[in-house]
Short mmCIF file of all heavy atoms in Angstrom, two decimals:
data_model
loop_
_atom_site.label_atom_id
_atom_site.label_comp_id
_atom_site.label_asym_id
_atom_site.label_seq_id
_atom_site.Cartn_x
_atom_site.Cartn_y
_atom_site.Cartn_z
N GLY A 1 79.24 80.75 119.46
CA GLY A 1 78.13 80.38 120.35
C GLY A 1 76.86 80.12 119.56
O GLY A 1 76.15 79.14 119.82
N ASP A 2 76.60 80.98 118.58
CA ASP A 2 75.43 80.79 117.72
C ASP A 2 75.53 79.46 116.97
O ASP A 2 74.54 78.73 116.83
CB ASP A 2 75.31 81.92 116.70
CG ASP A 2 75.02 83.27 117.33
OD1 ASP A 2 74.65 83.31 118.52
OD2 ASP A 2 75.19 84.30 116.63
N LEU A 3 76.73 79.15 116.51
CA LEU A 3 76.94 77.91 115.76
C LEU A 3 76.66 76.70 116.66
O LEU A 3 76.00 75.74 116.23
CB LEU A 3 78.37 77.86 115.21
CG LEU A 3 78.73 76.66 114.34
CD1 LEU A 3 77.85 76.60 113.10
CD2 LEU A 3 80.20 76.73 113.94
N ARG A 4 77.14 76.75 117.89
CA ARG A 4 76.86 75.65 118.82
C ARG A 4 75.36 75.47 119.00
O ARG A 4 74.85 74.34 119.02
CB ARG A 4 77.52 75.93 120.17
CG ARG A 4 78.95 75.52 120.19
CD ARG A 4 79.51 75.63 121.62
NE ARG A 4 80.84 76.20 121.49
CZ ARG A 4 81.19 77.43 121.80
NH1 ARG A 4 80.32 78.24 122.34
NH2 ARG A 4 82.41 77.85 121.62
N LEU A 5 74.64 76.58 119.14
CA LEU A 5 73.19 76.50 119.33
C LEU A 5 72.50 75.93 118.09
O LEU A 5 71.55 75.15 118.21
CB LEU A 5 72.62 77.88 119.67
CG LEU A 5 73.01 78.44 121.04
CD1 LEU A 5 72.48 79.87 121.19
CD2 LEU A 5 72.52 77.54 122.16
N LEU A 6 72.97 76.32 116.92
CA LEU A 6 72.39 75.78 115.69
C LEU A 6 72.57 74.27 115.61
O LEU A 6 71.66 73.54 115.19
CB LEU A 6 73.02 76.44 114.45
CG LEU A 6 72.60 77.88 114.18
CD1 LEU A 6 73.46 78.49 113.07
CD2 LEU A 6 71.12 77.93 113.81
N TRP A 7 73.73 73.79 116.03
CA TRP A 7 73.99 72.35 116.00
C TRP A 7 73.15 71.61 117.04
O TRP A 7 72.86 70.42 116.88
CB TRP A 7 75.47 72.06 116.24
CG TRP A 7 76.28 72.11 114.98
CD1 TRP A 7 77.15 73.08 114.61
CD2 TRP A 7 76.27 71.16 113.92
NE1 TRP A 7 77.69 72.79 113.39
CE2 TRP A 7 77.17 71.61 112.95
CE3 TRP A 7 75.59 69.97 113.70
CZ2 TRP A 7 77.41 70.91 111.76
CZ3 TRP A 7 75.83 69.27 112.53
CH2 TRP A 7 76.73 69.74 111.57
N LEU A 8 72.75 72.28 118.10
CA LEU A 8 71.97 71.63 119.15
C LEU A 8 70.47 71.62 118.88
O LEU A 8 69.71 71.01 119.64
CB LEU A 8 72.25 72.31 120.50
CG LEU A 8 73.67 72.10 121.04
CD1 LEU A 8 73.88 72.93 122.29
CD2 LEU A 8 73.93 70.63 121.30
N GLU A 9 70.05 72.29 117.80
CA GLU A 9 68.63 72.27 117.46
C GLU A 9 68.18 70.85 117.14
O GLU A 9 68.99 70.01 116.71
CB GLU A 9 68.36 73.19 116.26
CG GLU A 9 68.47 74.66 116.60
CD GLU A 9 68.19 75.55 115.40
OE1 GLU A 9 67.98 75.04 114.28
OE2 GLU A 9 68.19 76.78 115.59
N LYS A 10 66.90 70.61 117.34
CA LYS A 10 66.36 69.27 117.07
C LYS A 10 66.62 68.85 115.63
O LYS A 10 67.01 67.72 115.37
CB LYS A 10 64.86 69.25 117.38
CG LYS A 10 64.24 67.89 117.29
CD LYS A 10 62.80 67.90 117.72
CE LYS A 10 62.23 66.50 117.63
NZ LYS A 10 60.84 66.47 118.09
N ASN A 11 66.40 69.78 114.70
CA ASN A 11 66.68 69.52 113.28
C ASN A 11 67.61 70.62 112.77
O ASN A 11 67.15 71.65 112.27
CB ASN A 11 65.38 69.52 112.46
CG ASN A 11 64.46 68.39 112.84
OD1 ASN A 11 64.90 67.25 112.93
ND2 ASN A 11 63.19 68.70 113.09
N PRO A 12 68.93 70.42 112.89
CA PRO A 12 69.88 71.46 112.46
C PRO A 12 69.68 71.85 111.00
O PRO A 12 69.50 71.00 110.13
CB PRO A 12 71.24 70.80 112.67
CG PRO A 12 71.00 69.70 113.65
CD PRO A 12 69.60 69.23 113.40
N ASP A 13 69.68 73.15 110.76
CA ASP A 13 69.49 73.70 109.42
C ASP A 13 70.86 73.86 108.77
O ASP A 13 71.66 74.72 109.16
CB ASP A 13 68.77 75.04 109.52
CG ASP A 13 68.45 75.65 108.17
OD1 ASP A 13 69.19 75.39 107.19
OD2 ASP A 13 67.47 76.40 108.09
N GLN A 14 71.12 73.05 107.76
CA GLN A 14 72.43 73.05 107.10
C GLN A 14 72.78 74.41 106.51
O GLN A 14 73.91 74.88 106.60
CB GLN A 14 72.49 71.98 106.02
CG GLN A 14 73.86 71.88 105.37
CD GLN A 14 73.93 70.75 104.36
OE1 GLN A 14 72.96 70.00 104.17
NE2 GLN A 14 75.06 70.63 103.70
N ALA A 15 71.80 75.07 105.92
CA ALA A 15 72.06 76.37 105.30
C ALA A 15 72.47 77.42 106.34
O ALA A 15 73.39 78.20 106.12
CB ALA A 15 70.83 76.84 104.52
N LYS A 16 71.77 77.44 107.48
CA LYS A 16 72.12 78.39 108.54
C LYS A 16 73.50 78.10 109.10
O LYS A 16 74.30 79.01 109.33
CB LYS A 16 71.08 78.34 109.67
CG LYS A 16 69.75 78.96 109.34
CD LYS A 16 68.81 78.87 110.54
CE LYS A 16 67.44 79.42 110.22
NZ LYS A 16 66.52 79.26 111.37
N ILE A 17 73.79 76.81 109.31
CA ILE A 17 75.10 76.42 109.84
C ILE A 17 76.20 76.82 108.86
O ILE A 17 77.22 77.41 109.26
CB ILE A 17 75.14 74.90 110.13
CG1 ILE A 17 74.24 74.60 111.35
CG2 ILE A 17 76.57 74.42 110.36
CD1 ILE A 17 74.02 73.12 111.59
N ALA A 18 75.99 76.57 107.58
CA ALA A 18 76.99 76.91 106.57
C ALA A 18 77.21 78.43 106.52
O ALA A 18 78.34 78.89 106.37
CB ALA A 18 76.56 76.39 105.20
N ALA A 19 76.13 79.20 106.65
CA ALA A 19 76.25 80.66 106.61
C ALA A 19 77.06 81.18 107.80
O ALA A 19 77.93 82.05 107.64
CB ALA A 19 74.87 81.30 106.59
N VAL A 20 76.82 80.63 108.98
CA VAL A 20 77.56 81.07 110.17
C VAL A 20 79.03 80.65 110.05
O VAL A 20 79.94 81.43 110.36
CB VAL A 20 76.91 80.52 111.46
CG1 VAL A 20 77.79 80.79 112.67
CG2 VAL A 20 75.53 81.12 111.66
N GLN A 21 79.27 79.42 109.57
CA GLN A 21 80.65 78.97 109.38
C GLN A 21 81.39 79.86 108.37
O GLN A 21 82.56 80.19 108.58
CB GLN A 21 80.67 77.52 108.90
CG GLN A 21 80.30 76.54 109.98
CD GLN A 21 80.20 75.11 109.46
OE1 GLN A 21 79.87 74.89 108.29
NE2 GLN A 21 80.44 74.17 110.34
N LYS A 22 80.70 80.26 107.33
CA LYS A 22 81.32 81.14 106.33
C LYS A 22 81.67 82.49 106.95
O LYS A 22 82.75 83.04 106.68
CB LYS A 22 80.35 81.33 105.15
CG LYS A 22 80.92 82.15 104.02
CD LYS A 22 79.95 82.23 102.85
CE LYS A 22 80.54 83.05 101.72
NZ LYS A 22 79.65 83.11 100.57
N GLU A 23 80.78 83.02 107.77
CA GLU A 23 81.05 84.29 108.43
C GLU A 23 82.22 84.18 109.40
O GLU A 23 83.06 85.09 109.50
CB GLU A 23 79.80 84.79 109.15
CG GLU A 23 79.90 86.24 109.58
CD GLU A 23 78.58 86.79 110.11
OE1 GLU A 23 77.54 86.12 110.04
OE2 GLU A 23 78.62 87.93 110.62
N ILE A 24 82.32 83.06 110.11
CA ILE A 24 83.44 82.83 111.02
C ILE A 24 84.75 82.78 110.24
O ILE A 24 85.75 83.39 110.63
CB ILE A 24 83.23 81.54 111.85
CG1 ILE A 24 82.12 81.75 112.87
CG2 ILE A 24 84.54 81.12 112.54
CD1 ILE A 24 81.69 80.47 113.59
N ARG A 25 84.75 82.08 109.11
CA ARG A 25 85.97 82.02 108.27
C ARG A 25 86.36 83.41 107.76
O ARG A 25 87.53 83.76 107.73
CB ARG A 25 85.76 81.06 107.09
CG ARG A 25 85.85 79.60 107.46
CD ARG A 25 85.91 78.69 106.24
NE ARG A 25 84.82 78.89 105.31
CZ ARG A 25 83.63 78.26 105.40
NH1 ARG A 25 83.40 77.42 106.38
NH2 ARG A 25 82.70 78.47 104.50
N SER A 26 85.37 84.20 107.40
CA SER A 26 85.64 85.55 106.93
C SER A 26 86.28 86.39 108.03
O SER A 26 87.25 87.12 107.79
CB SER A 26 84.33 86.20 106.45
OG SER A 26 84.53 87.55 106.17
N LEU A 27 85.75 86.29 109.23
CA LEU A 27 86.33 87.02 110.36
C LEU A 27 87.74 86.53 110.66
O LEU A 27 88.63 87.33 110.94
CB LEU A 27 85.45 86.86 111.61
CG LEU A 27 84.15 87.65 111.61
CD1 LEU A 27 83.26 87.22 112.78
CD2 LEU A 27 84.43 89.14 111.66
N ARG A 28 87.95 85.22 110.59
CA ARG A 28 89.28 84.67 110.83
C ARG A 28 90.28 85.21 109.81
O ARG A 28 91.41 85.56 110.16
CB ARG A 28 89.20 83.14 110.71
CG ARG A 28 89.95 82.43 111.76
CD ARG A 28 89.82 80.94 111.60
NE ARG A 28 88.93 80.44 112.64
CZ ARG A 28 88.26 79.33 112.59
NH1 ARG A 28 88.34 78.55 111.53
NH2 ARG A 28 87.50 78.95 113.58
N ASP A 29 89.86 85.30 108.55
CA ASP A 29 90.73 85.85 107.50
C ASP A 29 91.05 87.32 107.78
O ASP A 29 92.20 87.75 107.62
CB ASP A 29 90.07 85.72 106.12
CG ASP A 29 90.04 84.29 105.62
OD1 ASP A 29 90.75 83.43 106.18
OD2 ASP A 29 89.29 84.03 104.65
N ARG A 30 90.05 88.09 108.18
CA ARG A 30 90.29 89.51 108.49
C ARG A 30 91.24 89.66 109.67
O ARG A 30 92.13 90.52 109.65
CB ARG A 30 88.96 90.21 108.76
CG ARG A 30 88.12 90.38 107.50
CD ARG A 30 86.75 90.93 107.76
NE ARG A 30 86.76 92.21 108.46
CZ ARG A 30 85.71 92.73 109.06
NH1 ARG A 30 84.55 92.09 109.06
NH2 ARG A 30 85.81 93.89 109.68
N LEU A 31 91.07 88.83 110.69
CA LEU A 31 91.97 88.86 111.84
C LEU A 31 93.40 88.51 111.42
O LEU A 31 94.36 89.16 111.85
CB LEU A 31 91.50 87.88 112.92
CG LEU A 31 90.37 88.36 113.81
CD1 LEU A 31 89.79 87.21 114.62
CD2 LEU A 31 90.85 89.46 114.74
N GLU A 32 93.53 87.50 110.58
CA GLU A 32 94.85 87.09 110.09
C GLU A 32 95.52 88.24 109.33
O GLU A 32 96.71 88.51 109.52
CB GLU A 32 94.70 85.87 109.20
CG GLU A 32 95.99 85.30 108.69
CD GLU A 32 96.69 84.43 109.72
OE1 GLU A 32 96.06 84.04 110.71
OE2 GLU A 32 97.89 84.16 109.51
N ASP A 33 94.76 88.91 108.49
CA ASP A 33 95.31 90.04 107.73
C ASP A 33 95.77 91.16 108.67
O ASP A 33 96.84 91.75 108.48
CB ASP A 33 94.27 90.59 106.75
CG ASP A 33 93.96 89.64 105.62
OD1 ASP A 33 94.73 88.67 105.40
OD2 ASP A 33 92.92 89.83 104.95
N LYS A 34 94.97 91.45 109.69
CA LYS A 34 95.33 92.51 110.64
C LYS A 34 96.54 92.11 111.47
O LYS A 34 97.40 92.94 111.76
CB LYS A 34 94.13 92.85 111.52
CG LYS A 34 93.04 93.58 110.75
CD LYS A 34 91.90 93.99 111.63
CE LYS A 34 90.81 94.68 110.85
NZ LYS A 34 91.21 95.88 110.15
N ARG A 35 96.63 90.85 111.85
CA ARG A 35 97.79 90.38 112.62
C ARG A 35 99.06 90.45 111.78
O ARG A 35 100.12 90.83 112.29
CB ARG A 35 97.54 88.96 113.11
CG ARG A 35 96.54 88.90 114.23
CD ARG A 35 96.28 87.47 114.65
NE ARG A 35 95.28 87.43 115.70
CZ ARG A 35 94.33 86.54 115.80
NH1 ARG A 35 94.24 85.57 114.90
NH2 ARG A 35 93.47 86.58 116.79
N THR A 36 98.95 90.09 110.52
CA THR A 36 100.11 90.16 109.63
C THR A 36 100.57 91.61 109.48
O THR A 36 101.77 91.91 109.58
CB THR A 36 99.77 89.56 108.25
OG1 THR A 36 99.43 88.18 108.44
CG2 THR A 36 100.94 89.67 107.30
N ALA A 37 99.63 92.51 109.26
CA ALA A 37 99.98 93.93 109.12
C ALA A 37 100.62 94.45 110.40
O ALA A 37 101.60 95.21 110.35
CB ALA A 37 98.72 94.75 108.79
N HIS A 38 100.10 94.02 111.54
CA HIS A 38 100.67 94.45 112.83
C HIS A 38 102.11 93.95 112.96
O HIS A 38 103.00 94.71 113.35
CB HIS A 38 99.82 93.91 113.98
CG HIS A 38 100.47 94.06 115.32
ND1 HIS A 38 100.66 95.28 115.92
CD2 HIS A 38 100.99 93.14 116.16
CE1 HIS A 38 101.26 95.10 117.09
NE2 HIS A 38 101.47 93.81 117.25
N GLN A 39 102.34 92.70 112.63
CA GLN A 39 103.68 92.16 112.76
C GLN A 39 104.66 92.89 111.84
O GLN A 39 105.79 93.19 112.23
CB GLN A 39 103.70 90.66 112.46
CG GLN A 39 105.07 90.06 112.72
CD GLN A 39 105.03 88.58 112.96
OE1 GLN A 39 104.00 88.03 113.28
NE2 GLN A 39 106.16 87.94 112.81
N ILE A 40 104.24 93.20 110.62
CA ILE A 40 105.10 93.94 109.69
C ILE A 40 105.43 95.31 110.26
O ILE A 40 106.58 95.77 110.18
CB ILE A 40 104.41 94.07 108.30
CG1 ILE A 40 104.21 92.70 107.66
CG2 ILE A 40 105.18 95.01 107.39
CD1 ILE A 40 105.47 91.96 107.30
N GLU A 41 104.45 95.99 110.85
CA GLU A 41 104.68 97.31 111.44
C GLU A 41 105.68 97.23 112.60
O GLU A 41 106.53 98.09 112.76
CB GLU A 41 103.37 97.94 111.91
CG GLU A 41 102.47 98.38 110.77
CD GLU A 41 103.15 99.36 109.83
OE1 GLU A 41 103.73 100.36 110.30
OE2 GLU A 41 103.12 99.13 108.61
N VAL A 42 105.57 96.19 113.40
CA VAL A 42 106.52 96.02 114.50
C VAL A 42 107.92 95.77 113.96
O VAL A 42 108.90 96.36 114.45
CB VAL A 42 106.08 94.86 115.44
CG1 VAL A 42 107.19 94.50 116.43
CG2 VAL A 42 104.80 95.24 116.18
N LEU A 43 108.03 94.94 112.93
CA LEU A 43 109.35 94.66 112.35
C LEU A 43 110.00 95.93 111.79
O LEU A 43 111.22 96.07 111.83
CB LEU A 43 109.24 93.60 111.26
CG LEU A 43 108.99 92.17 111.76
CD1 LEU A 43 108.72 91.24 110.59
CD2 LEU A 43 110.14 91.68 112.60
N LYS A 44 109.20 96.87 111.29
CA LYS A 44 109.73 98.12 110.74
C LYS A 44 110.41 98.97 111.81
O LYS A 44 111.27 99.79 111.50
CB LYS A 44 108.62 98.93 110.07
CG LYS A 44 108.13 98.34 108.76
CD LYS A 44 106.99 99.19 108.21
CE LYS A 44 106.44 98.61 106.94
NZ LYS A 44 105.29 99.39 106.43
N ILE A 45 110.02 98.78 113.05
CA ILE A 45 110.60 99.55 114.15
C ILE A 45 111.99 99.04 114.52
O ILE A 45 112.82 99.78 115.02
CB ILE A 45 109.65 99.51 115.38
CG1 ILE A 45 108.36 100.24 115.04
CG2 ILE A 45 110.30 100.08 116.62
CD1 ILE A 45 107.26 100.09 116.08
N LEU A 46 112.26 97.78 114.22
CA LEU A 46 113.52 97.16 114.61
C LEU A 46 114.64 97.52 113.64
O LEU A 46 114.41 97.75 112.45
CB LEU A 46 113.36 95.64 114.65
CG LEU A 46 112.26 95.08 115.54
CD1 LEU A 46 112.20 93.57 115.43
CD2 LEU A 46 112.46 95.52 116.98
#
């Protein structure tokens, strides 16, 4: 949502947009790691 608002500014700030995008990618990576660990734990039960 913050990223959408940054893009809608009259003069979008590239540095701010890049920082938010980087943080989103970091969160996506952390989620992916947690999902992988969860799937491995489920497989161990089978």
Side-chain angles (χ1 to χ4, degrees):
D2 294 346
L3 183 61
R4 277 188 222 106
L5 292 175
L6 287 171
W7 274 107
L8 292 174
E9 288 181 357
K10 186 175 181 178
N11 295 312
D13 183 331
Q14 184 176 357
K16 287 181 183 177
I17 290 170
V20 172
Q21 288 175 331
K22 183 177 181 178
E23 193 171 353
I24 289 171
R25 283 191 306 272
S26 172
L27 286 170
R28 223 179 254 158
D29 288 345
R30 289 173 56 196
L31 280 167
E32 183 80 15
D33 292 345
K34 289 184 182 301
R35 287 178 181 140
T36 299
H38 168 69
Q39 185 158 341
I40 296 295
E41 289 303 310
V42 169
L43 287 173
K44 288 177 182 177
I45 294 171
L46 304 178

